[in-house]
Amino acid sequence: VLRDSADRQREALRIARADIWTWDRATGSLEISPDLLQSYGYEILPSTREEYLAIRHPDDRERSDREANDAIRTRRPYTSRYRLARADGSWAWIEARGIPMFDASGELTGYRGTRQDIDEQVRREEALRESDDRQREALHIARASTWTWDRRTRYLTQSHDLYHALGYESAPEAFDERVALRHPDDREPSRVTAEDAIRLREPYSMRYRLARADGGWVWIEERGTPLFDADGELTGYRGTTQDVDEQVKREEELHEALKIARAGFWYRGREDTAPWWSPELYEMIGLDPATAPSDDNWVRHPDDNGRVAARLREAMHAREPFTTRYRMHHYVTGGWIWVELSGVPVRSAGGEVVG
């Protein structure tokens, strides 16, 4: 069963042109699933951060490193786009999502995350930046529109390209008409995002579902910039909207890969710190991912707690990877499911095992 799940996960990652990676700061080792880089023609995968940097485009290294360092400073996940070299020497755009990991004293111990090929989407975005003479054709190809909204008149000026692609004869001319085309579940989050941009006085990016003329829904990425007058009062917005439905489907395939494999990521620091779980682990036992466990003892079968705790202590003492199996409570069915737990030690810069 485990082998079958792994095979299905590998196939889903291959279809999504994505990989899963982990970098350990203490050892410098980099573990990457082969799916993405094999699709780029590599037979041997990078095993260290330095080897991986060697295939990243030189012009993108400083920016992507800065984005990763900002994640350390803010202790939040990050997203970065950069170019990777294919084996044939050409370049492909990827989107990397990572989570910095820290020990009990707050020192960085590494990262883990995913990477996905977004070369086609970036080509579309690059088309938006073509010259004015080619802009109309570029917007048509990219299934995108440019727009400007005037706060005083509430009048919306935008190109029709995206809306033609969605089956409409023309684009909405009033702000309220445009909002009415958004999925009801997405209206409030998108409103909050736009208002945060006003408060922070910075551009924003958000995704929401937009109604097609045939009644279906398509995922849109909207990028906007709030505009202010000399007194600092909001006068409107300008920006772009683009069809990203294909990319969203790929991301959903990546998420589905973990669900198919019934797998997820976890991290535990010292005994007095709460474990971190990826959303897939919550879903695996029927819990809302927003529910944070104070300890995972409460989901393990009582008969397994002592054995699992002993195995964890043994692995921590020996400073070695471990694997064990136990039962977890499923909160939808009310029954118990068997899971296999695998872990590797996370070390501080001094070599101490901290998680």
Side-chain angles (χ1 to χ4, degrees):
V1 174
L2 291 174
R3 186 179 297 110
D4 183 59
S5 295
D7 290 342
R8 285 183 292 173
Q9 180 189 25
R10 176 64 56 80
E11 179 64 13
L13 289 170
R14 185 190 66 79
I15 293 172
R17 296 174 67 85
D19 67 18
I20 300 172
W21 58 273
T22 302
W23 175 65
D24 186 290
R25 181 186 184 189
T27 65
S29 64
L30 180 68
E31 295 182 4
I32 308 175
S33 63
D35 314 274
L36 177 62
L37 291 181
Q38 282 185 351
S39 76
Y40 288 169
Y42 289 97
E43 296 180 358
I44 300 176
L45 305 182
S47 59
T48 66
R49 182 173 181 270
E50 290 70 25
E51 291 176 1
Y52 182 76
L53 288 177
I55 63 173
R56 191 186 300 180
H57 197 290
D59 294 345
D60 299 337
R61 292 172 189 170
E62 181 179 352
R63 173 182 50 77
S64 58
D65 283 346
R66 183 174 63 251
E67 291 165 342
N69 289 334
D70 285 345
I72 300 173
R73 178 177 54 83
T74 60
R75 294 177 177 266
R76 298 177 62 181
Y78 74 95
T79 300
S80 180
R81 292 182 175 186
Y82 50 82
R83 288 161 287 183
L84 276 187
R86 298 188 181 97
D88 63 6
S90 62
W91 297 96
W93 280 96
I94 71 159
E95 185 171 88
R97 298 173 183 266
I99 299 175
M101 299 181 295
F102 303 90
D103 61 23
S105 61
E107 290 294 318
L108 179 73
T109 60
Y111 289 92
R112 60 163 53 99
T114 63
R115 282 184 290 256
Q116 186 169 22
D117 180 290
I118 59 166
D119 198 63
E120 182 176 342
Q121 180 194 350
V122 171
R123 302 300 177 194
R124 285 184 175 183
E125 294 171 352
E126 289 174 347
L128 291 174
R129 295 187 286 271
E130 293 289 337
S131 66
D132 291 341
D133 292 340
R134 300 181 59 186
Q135 184 181 37
R136 175 69 61 179
E137 181 63 19
L139 289 170
H140 174 72
I141 294 172
R143 297 170 65 89
S145 288
T146 57
W147 54 271
T148 302
W149 176 64
D150 186 285
R151 183 188 183 189
R152 181 180 61 82
T153 64
R154 296 188 68 81
Y155 189 78
L156 190 66
T157 304
Q158 57 185 332
S159 58
H160 299 284
D161 308 272
L162 172 63
Y163 291 89
H164 285 167
L166 300 182
Y168 295 100
E169 293 184 2
S170 62
E173 295 183 352
F175 179 78
D176 293 340
E177 294 175 0
R178 184 186 187 199
V179 171
L181 294 178
R182 292 180 187 171
H183 194 286
D185 294 344
D186 299 335
R187 291 172 191 169
E188 179 63 15
S190 60
R191 182 190 66 80
V192 171
T193 298
E195 290 184 353
D196 283 347
I198 299 173
R199 178 175 55 83
L200 298 172
R201 295 178 176 268
E202 64 182 22
Y204 68 87
S205 176
M206 62 183 174
R207 290 180 178 180
Y208 53 81
R209 288 159 289 184
L210 198 66
R212 295 196 303 256
D214 63 7
W217 297 96
V218 62
W219 279 98
I220 297 297
E221 183 167 86
E222 177 179 311
R223 297 175 183 268
T225 301
L227 307 174
F228 302 91
D229 61 21
D231 297 324
E233 291 295 320
L234 178 73
T235 60
Y237 290 91
R238 70 161 55 99
T240 62
T241 50
Q242 184 176 12
D243 179 348
V244 292
D245 203 57
E246 181 179 342
Q247 181 187 350
V248 170
K249 286 184 171 62
R250 280 189 171 184
E251 292 171 355
E252 289 173 347
E253 288 170 353
L254 177 59
H255 175 67
E256 188 64 21
L258 293 174
K259 289 181 64 177
I260 289 173
R262 296 175 63 81
F265 299 114
W266 62 275
Y267 172 76
R268 175 187 287 277
R270 297 184 306 177
E271 291 184 3
D272 59 347
T273 60
W276 173 86
W277 289 2
S278 68
E280 293 80 16
L281 290 181
Y282 290 97
E283 295 173 8
M284 186 170 68
I285 58 174
L287 282 178
D288 184 341
T291 304
S294 59
D295 196 341
D296 51 5
N297 289 335
W298 58 280
V299 298
R300 284 202 299 256
H301 194 287
D303 294 346
D304 298 334
N305 274 332
R307 175 174 53 80
V308 173
R311 185 70 184 94
L312 283 169
R313 287 194 299 270
E314 178 185 341
M316 286 283 286
H317 179 74
R319 301 186 179 188
E320 64 182 13
F322 75 93
T323 297
T324 188
R325 294 181 177 182
Y326 59 87
R327 289 159 288 183
M328 292 182 75
H329 183 59
H330 196 285
Y331 284 80
V332 174
T333 66
W336 298 91
I337 61 172
W338 279 96
V339 300
E340 183 171 83
L341 178 73
S342 296
V344 294
V346 178
R347 293 179 170 83
S348 68
E352 179 187 1
V353 175
V354 295

